[in-house]
């Protein structure tokens, strides 16, 4: 293979939260890595995505020195509100499970990771092209790419980790005869809105409505985040008035004196929703983590937390493999990670189907019955709280 050789212990493809946190955890264990990313550092640091961190994610970030700004600027929430027309109920995770969640955007987690890795002198290659994986079934796998000057580069490594999200090339390198996948595509999308306005609620509101689901979330004391269920292929070109009217109707403006305060909208985007799991998450010297192996619909805020849980398992497994030639944790990584992946896949599917409007009037009655049960039974509420606030990493 022609090209300028690079060498590292772990070649990480993708500088999203999975890839960056993995490089951080490996470095703490004395393992060297190189991170390869198609986008620019600025792009990666400013993507608006998830907003909720579960208890074990916060514990892990604090434990590896990434908790300082999170503790200063993050907002701890006891629970969420679930509502449908005429009803709003608070589910208190702390009372039910002793665990809570934090509002701290993925954008902020990503910035903290970039700052920490840059300060540590982490080798990063941004804005690369033509990423390709080779020889993952051998002990000397490698990754090739074209750098910003158009040169073909070869990274020789002991292990390759695909943290390249839902569209990356890594998962295709698990051979067809060993890989399986499961998928559910939902007939609706989320219209995401970011606005410069103080949240009109102290904690998140998940709202069932006959016009479609709505979510009132937040990023800070002065920035609110909203989502509206919309048909697939909706263009994010709604006028601000149309957006505020839809949010006011679905979130119950005027109900029991509650008012939705409006403000300047700064971002509009539409995201499709699907559930996807590919197994196994390891083949030879290739490991998959985060969205590269599994995607959940956003309802229930599991995507980012799952990516963090994967790398929390993977980092010690790779350290044992590389430093001591001890394969045990690496061999059990896929099975251990997948237990949590399937739990979160079920929870995200369950939250999604309970809250989104479909076509079938029978389903609608089941949804309302489910909502009444979850908000009135301690057993029902505890099940939701346990899953939402997050299960231990090694589930
Ligand atoms: P990613 O964050 O996707 O990172 C993968 C990285 O790999 C990217 O930087 C990508 O550029 C890079 N990459 C891809 N291909 C290559 C290649 N060939 N070579 C090198 N690098 C490559 N979750 C929630 O819980 N709530 C939300 O509201 C929510 N909103 C979302 C909105 C959007 C638009 C998206 C896409 C996801 C959202 N998610 C949400 C999911 C959550 O953001 C992800 O689960 C999380 O980002 C997973 O982290 P990751 O590191 O595995 O993948
Ligand atoms: C957010 C996203 C989610 O998917 C969710 O369930 C809660 C909050 C958010 O982006 O703030």
């Amino acid at each position: 293979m022609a090209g300028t050789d690079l060498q590292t212990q772990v070649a990480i493809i993708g500088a999203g939260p999975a890839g960056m946190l993995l490089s951080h955890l490996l470095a703490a264990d004395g393992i060297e890595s190189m991170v390869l990313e198609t986008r620019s550092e600025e792009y990666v640091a400013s993507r608006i995505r998830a907003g909720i961190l579960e208890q074990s994610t916060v514990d892990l970030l604090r434990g590896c020195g990434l908790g300082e700004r999170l503790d200063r600027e993050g907002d701890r929430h006891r629970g969420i509100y679930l509502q449908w027309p005429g009803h709003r109920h608070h589910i208190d995770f702390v009372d039910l499970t002793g665990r809570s969640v934090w509002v701290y955007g993925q954008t902020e987690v990503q910035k903290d990771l970039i700052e920490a890795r840059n300060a540590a002198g982490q080798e990063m290659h941004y804005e690369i092209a033509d990423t390709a994986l080779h020889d993952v079934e051998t002990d000397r796998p490698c990754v090739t790419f074209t750098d910003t000057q158009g040169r073909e580069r070869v990274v020789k490594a002991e292990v390759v980790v695909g943290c390249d999200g839902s569209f990356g090339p890594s998962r295709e390198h698990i051979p067809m005869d060993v890989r399986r996948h499961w998928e559910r595509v939902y007939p609706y999308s989320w219209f995401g809105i970011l606005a410069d306005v103080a949240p009109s609620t102290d904690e998140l509101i998940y709202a069932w409505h006959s016009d479609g689901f709505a979510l009132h979330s937040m990023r800070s004391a002065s920035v609110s985040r909203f989502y509206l269920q919309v048909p697939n292929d909706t263009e994010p070109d709604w006028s601000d008035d149309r957006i505020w009217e839809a949010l006011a109707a679905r979130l119950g403006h005027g109900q029991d004196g509650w008012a939705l305060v409006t403000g300047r909208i700064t971002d509009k985007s539409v995201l499709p929703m699907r559930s996807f799991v590919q197994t196994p998450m390891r083949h030879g010297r290739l490991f998959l983590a985060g969205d590269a192996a599994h995607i959940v619909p956003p309802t229930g805020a599991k995507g980012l937390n799952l990516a963090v849980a994967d790398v929390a398992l993977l980092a010690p497994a790779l350290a044992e493999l590389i430093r001591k030639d001890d394969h045990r944790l690496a061999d059990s990584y896929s099975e251990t990670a997948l237990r949590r992946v399937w739990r979160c896949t079920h929870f995200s599917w369950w939250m999604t189907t309970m809250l989104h409007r479909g076509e079938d009037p029978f389903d609608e009655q089941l949804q309302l019955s489910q909502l009444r049960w979850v908000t009135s039974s301690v057993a029902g509420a505890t099940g939701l709280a346990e899953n939402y606030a997050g299960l231990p990493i090694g589930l």
Side-chain angles (χ1 to χ4, degrees):
M1 216 171 300
T4 314
D5 276 4
L6 299 164
Q7 190 132 7
T8 189
Q9 289 178 301
V10 181
I12 299 174
I13 307 175
M20 293 300 277
L21 182 59
L22 180 62
S23 79
H24 187 80
L25 296 175
L26 288 173
D29 236 337
I31 305 287
E32 180 195 273
S33 66
M34 194 180 294
V35 184
L36 313 172
E37 167 62 50
T38 45
R39 303 288 193 159
S40 67
E41 181 180 311
E42 299 68 43
Y43 181 91
V44 168
S46 59
R47 277 189 295 218
I48 302 163
R49 287 185 169 180
I52 304 292
L53 305 184
E54 58 186 46
Q55 177 90 52
S56 45
T57 300
V58 170
D59 293 345
L60 182 104
L61 293 173
R62 284 177 177 157
C64 68
L66 292 167
E68 197 204 315
R69 197 160 68 94
L70 165 63
D71 281 328
R72 217 174 41 241
E73 296 176 20
D75 194 9
R76 178 170 174 263
H77 282 196
R78 294 185 65 91
I80 57 167
Y81 295 98
L82 272 185
Q83 77 168 45
W84 61 99
H87 302 264
R88 179 177 292 174
H89 297 271
H90 188 248
I91 311 251
D92 194 307
F93 305 155
V94 180
D95 283 351
L96 293 162
T97 69
R99 297 166 79 79
S100 34
V101 294
W102 273 256
V103 171
Y104 191 65
Q106 181 169 334
T107 318
E108 307 312 315
V109 175
Q110 187 81 47
K111 281 183 195 148
D112 294 344
L113 281 163
I114 291 175
E115 196 184 304
R117 297 319 301 136
N118 285 347
Q122 171 68 40
E123 182 164 359
M124 306 281 311
H125 294 266
Y126 287 106
E127 299 183 72
I128 64 161
D130 310 320
T131 314
L133 293 73
H134 311 269
D135 306 327
V136 298
E137 287 171 342
T138 74
D139 285 349
R140 301 303 297 163
C142 73
V143 181
T144 53
F145 67 91
T146 307
D147 71 13
T148 46
Q149 275 115 52
R151 292 176 298 178
E152 191 196 343
R153 309 297 298 262
V154 183
V155 186
K156 292 186 174 157
E158 292 175 51
V159 164
V160 175
V161 186
C163 296
D164 44 359
S166 41
F167 301 109
S170 299
R171 76 158 77 103
E172 304 290 325
H173 286 267
I174 310 270
M176 289 288 268
D177 58 337
V178 292
R179 77 176 189 238
R180 285 193 71 182
H181 79 271
W182 295 261
E183 186 168 28
R184 171 75 40 98
V185 176
Y186 299 88
Y188 32 74
S189 301
W190 274 17
F191 192 147
I193 298 116
L194 196 68
D196 280 340
V197 60
S200 303
T201 177
D202 57 342
E203 299 197 335
L204 273 60
I205 305 170
Y206 286 80
W208 183 100
H209 194 275
S210 55
D211 291 351
F213 169 72
L215 171 60
H216 187 334
S217 182
M218 59 198 72
R219 287 292 177 273
S220 69
S222 57
V223 176
S224 296
R225 177 79 168 146
F226 302 95
Y227 297 98
L228 286 163
Q229 175 186 348
V230 291
N232 286 340
D233 301 319
T234 298
E235 289 298 326
D237 57 2
W238 290 19
S239 69
D240 292 9
D241 284 349
R242 184 177 176 195
I243 289 171
W244 288 120
E245 276 163 30
L247 285 169
R250 298 186 196 187
L251 290 168
H253 177 79
Q255 190 177 302
D256 294 330
W258 181 79
L260 175 69
V261 182
T262 63
R264 191 173 68 90
I265 292 179
T266 55
D267 191 77
K268 303 175 189 176
S269 59
V270 171
L271 39 139
M273 297 169 74
R274 69 178 171 133
S275 300
F276 175 90
V277 179
Q278 180 180 298
T279 65
M281 289 170 64
R282 180 259 177 115
H283 180 72
R285 290 275 171 153
L286 169 64
F287 295 78
L288 301 178
D291 279 18
H294 42 74
I295 297 152
V296 289
T299 335
K302 287 290 155 214
L304 168 61
N305 293 292
L306 263 182
V308 168
D310 284 354
V311 300
L313 288 173
L314 186 54
L318 296 183
E320 295 284 290
L321 180 69
I322 290 169
R323 273 199 280 116
K324 300 188 197 148
D325 199 30
D326 182 340
H327 293 236
R328 282 174 298 176
L329 288 177
D331 289 348
S332 60
Y333 165 68
S334 180
E335 200 186 321
T336 309
L338 282 165
R339 277 202 292 277
R340 187 176 228 275
V341 167
W342 277 114
R343 176 88 303 283
C344 294
T345 300
H346 174 264
F347 177 67
S348 307
W349 165 86
W350 179 76
M351 285 285 279
T352 300
T353 49
M354 176 169 71
L355 287 162
H356 289 73
R357 190 67 212 282
E359 299 289 321
D360 189 335
F362 179 77
D363 287 343
E364 181 178 325
Q365 293 307 315
L366 295 183
Q367 291 178 319
L368 292 169
S369 172
Q370 176 103 292
L371 282 164
R372 283 193 294 269
W373 177 66
V374 163
T375 52
S376 61
S377 145
V378 174
T382 307
L384 188 150
E386 205 173 87
N387 281 280
Y388 195 112
L391 299 144
I393 299 267
L395 170 72

